[in-house]
Amino acid sequence: MGLGEAVNGALEQGKKSMSGVISSVGPYMLAVGNGLTNLVLVIFAAIFLAADPDVYRRGFLHLVPEKAINVAEASLGDAWRGLNGWMKGQAVSSVVVAGLTWAGLAVLGVPSAGGLGVIAGLLDVIPMIGPVIAGVPAVLLAFTHSPMTAFWTVVLFLLVQQLQGNFLQPMIQKQAVDVPPALLLFSVLAAGMLFGPLGVLLAAPLTIVLFVLTKRIYVRSLLGKDVKIDGE
């Protein structure tokens, strides 16, 4: 019928377009796969550590010189108290943030208010940056309702963030370790650049551990300065 060349041309163009799509999407799919793999590894590592922590504690202390055993044991105790307090305070903060966000978005008539509230509560574990990330999808969905709803959604997230920063966050620091806010912010940014989303998620607890270990091992033991260690 004389259509052979046209059909072949269309097939070749289709193959080129499909190859372009695959080459563009491939790196993103690889990054998502790597992120999920790392997350699963971290979860299983946490389960193994939590199942029998004394095994790893004794193994670590076996590697420490005899004269430093007392300092190492005290450091592990400091890290445990800091993380324990942070987890308790953060759990309360996440529940409060999720509940307030859910209720506020429901009153404003924003679609999927419950899901957005859960996202806000989960992202509350990321200091300072988490509320901003959680607010983006909420504002975009609010625009589907009306621009005024989007405006009040921004106001809602600002109010919740002020409550979290001025009340909930000090409560968490009181329960855990009083880490300077600037140090916490820079640690989140550095962990994100070095380790990606997983680093951002783990930045706060890792910063707490490094903070108390620096106080105990470096400032008090090596420098000999009388510094107050939280939880003592």
Side-chain angles (χ1 to χ4, degrees), residues 67-97:
K67 61 182 180 180
I69 287 290
N70 293 334
V71 176
E73 287 184 329
S75 300
L76 291 176
D78 295 336
W80 178 85
R81 285 191 296 271
L83 288 176
N84 187 48
W86 175 80
M87 289 182 65
K88 291 178 179 178
Q90 188 61 62
V92 174
S93 176
S94 295
V95 171
V96 172
V97 169

Side-chain angles (χ1 to χ4, degrees), residues 97-115:
V97 169
L100 291 177
T101 305
W102 187 343
L105 293 177
V107 170
L108 293 174
V110 177
S112 305

Side-chain angles (χ1 to χ4, degrees), residues 57 60-61 69-85 175-177 208-209 212-213 216-217 229-232:
R57 182 187 181 95
F60 172 75
L61 293 176
I69 287 290
N70 293 334
V71 176
E73 287 184 329
S75 300
L76 291 176
D78 295 336
W80 178 85
R81 285 191 296 271
L83 288 176
N84 187 48
Q175 292 292 325
V177 179
I208 290 174
V209 171
V212 297
L213 292 183
R216 169 74 68 176
I217 298 174
I229 298 177
D230 303 86
E232 280 190 327

Side-chain angles (χ1 to χ4, degrees), residues 89 94 112 138 147-148 155 157 164-165 195 206 208:
S94 295
S112 305
M148 186 57 66
V155 173
F157 272 85
Q164 197 270 352
F195 306 110
L206 290 178
I208 290 174

Side-chain angles (χ1 to χ4, degrees), residues 1 13 48 128 132:
M1 297 176 62
Q13 187 64 34
F48 292 147
M128 286 158 274
V132 177

